[in-house]
Amino acid sequence: MKSKYSKIKIAALTLTFVCATTAMAGATTLRYGDKGKNVTAIQQQLIKYGYNAKDKNGVYGKETKWAVRLFQQDHGLAVDGIVGPATYNALMGTPRTTKAVLTSNAATKAVTTKSAFTSKDTKVRRISGQTINGTSIKLNNLKKSETATNIRGILAEADKYRGVPYVFGGTTPSGFDCSGYVRYVFAKHGVSLPRLADEQYNVGVSVSRANLKAGDLVFFETYEPGPSHSGIYIGNGQFISATSSRGVAVADLDTGYWGARYIGAKRVMQ
């Protein structure tokens, strides 16, 4: 009787432990859109280690997700922007005595602000949707011939980087992410764009699918709600962008993976 009771007790304790472990794992899984004290704790720890998790306190938004992805990349974790048990333990474990060393990609993101402009030493054209001290900037007042020349130059520049590998956070020809690629190509021709895809979506003039022209920016909804991938329309129903699967490559706008995720276009040059 005693032996049977002991077995029942051990089984009950084992079940309790399993349930507690499962609950703990669930409690430490946070993702885009979550809110609360656990998110605040994650944000504070990311900032402590030098990552720019500057969303509204307690809201797991785009900045927090980006910071988590950078942290995961720097620590050899699966890069998915979700704080699961492995990421939670790595981030919230014993605090380090020194600030985490950022990779060049993390540093790039950490110093990037919501400003859409380059340094004062760089001569750039401002585009519709950007502001300076609260004043809206109108589209470039360029002659049609100058605009056409610039668009041809942008398309040629974009094509030069076909095959360049995808690098999360990448902003140079050694490796691009989608918005880093678009920004780099346009900057080479004097047009300053914001750094992130959702920010790029907020500039320029909206263009319908039927009125797309080569050089327009095209946007897609991929891993999160809203514009999360950007590319450059090159005509004939095709666009070029930096993709995680093929690097910088041309794809069809209206079919397959991208056709189902297309959400709109913006024109930043008239």
Side-chain angles (χ1 to χ4, degrees):
M1 185 71 179
K2 183 177 181 181
S3 176
K4 184 177 180 180
Y5 174 77
S6 297
K7 289 180 180 179
I8 293 173
K9 186 176 181 180
I10 291 171
L13 289 172
T14 302
L15 181 60
T16 300
F17 175 77
V18 170
C19 290
T21 302
T22 302
M24 184 180 296
T28 56
T29 299
L30 301 168
R31 65 188 70 225
Y32 181 81
D34 286 345
K35 299 177 182 179
K37 293 181 180 179
N38 287 339
V39 175
T40 300
I42 291 294
Q43 290 171 327
Q44 291 173 344
Q45 198 75 347
L46 285 165
I47 291 169
K48 177 180 177 181
Y49 285 162
Y51 297 88
N52 188 27
K54 299 286 187 178
D55 287 310
K56 182 179 179 182
N57 199 32
V59 177
Y60 201 125
K62 289 187 170 89
E63 295 289 347
T64 301
K65 183 171 182 176
W66 184 279
V68 169
R69 285 167 65 93
L70 289 172
F71 177 85
Q72 290 170 330
Q73 177 178 286
D74 291 345
H75 292 80
L77 300 165
V79 180
D80 58 9
I82 297 172
V83 180
T87 299
Y88 184 90
N89 290 336
L91 181 60
M92 304 300 286
T94 305
R96 292 183 239 177
T97 56
T98 59
K99 191 177 188 178
V101 178
L102 303 180
T103 62
S104 59
N105 289 340
T108 298
K109 175 59 184 173
V111 300
T112 298
T113 68
K114 292 294 183 182
S115 169
F117 308 119
T118 55
S119 67
K120 294 179 181 178
D121 297 330
T122 304
K123 185 178 180 180
V124 295
R125 296 187 178 94
R126 308 306 184 187
I127 60 179
S128 177
Q130 294 184 346
T131 60
I132 298 177
N133 297 327
T135 302
S136 296
I137 305 302
K138 295 181 179 180
L139 280 169
N140 300 321
N141 185 22
L142 299 176
K143 295 179 181 179
K144 289 186 178 180
S145 59
E146 184 183 0
T147 301
T149 299
N150 275 275
I151 290 174
R152 285 196 296 270
I154 285 170
L155 296 179
E157 187 74 27
D159 193 62
K160 280 167 50 175
Y161 306 109
R162 281 207 207 194
V164 168
Y166 179 89
V167 173
F168 176 68
T171 59
T172 71
S174 62
F176 290 112
D177 65 15
C178 66
S179 54
Y181 168 68
V182 169
R183 187 173 192 258
Y184 183 90
V185 168
F186 274 82
K188 281 289 185 178
H189 289 267
V191 179
S192 177
L193 291 174
R195 171 63 183 90
L196 304 179
D198 60 330
E199 296 171 333
Q200 292 172 356
Y201 190 69
N202 289 327
V203 301
V205 175
S206 295
V207 182
S208 68
R209 172 64 186 88
N211 291 318
L212 274 175
K213 293 181 180 180
D216 289 341
L217 305 184
V218 287
F219 296 90
F220 306 84
E221 185 175 271
T222 55
Y223 63 87
E224 65 185 9
S228 53
H229 185 85
S230 58
I232 303 168
Y233 186 66
I234 61 174
N236 297 320
Q238 294 186 312
F239 72 101
I240 188 168
S241 69
T243 66
S244 58
S245 58
R246 300 168 57 205
V248 176
V250 172
D252 291 330
L253 184 67
D254 297 319
T255 60
Y257 177 87
W258 298 111
R261 290 165 175 79
Y262 175 74
I263 60 171
K266 292 297 183 76
R267 182 164 297 155
V268 297
M269 298 183 70
Q270 290 282 51

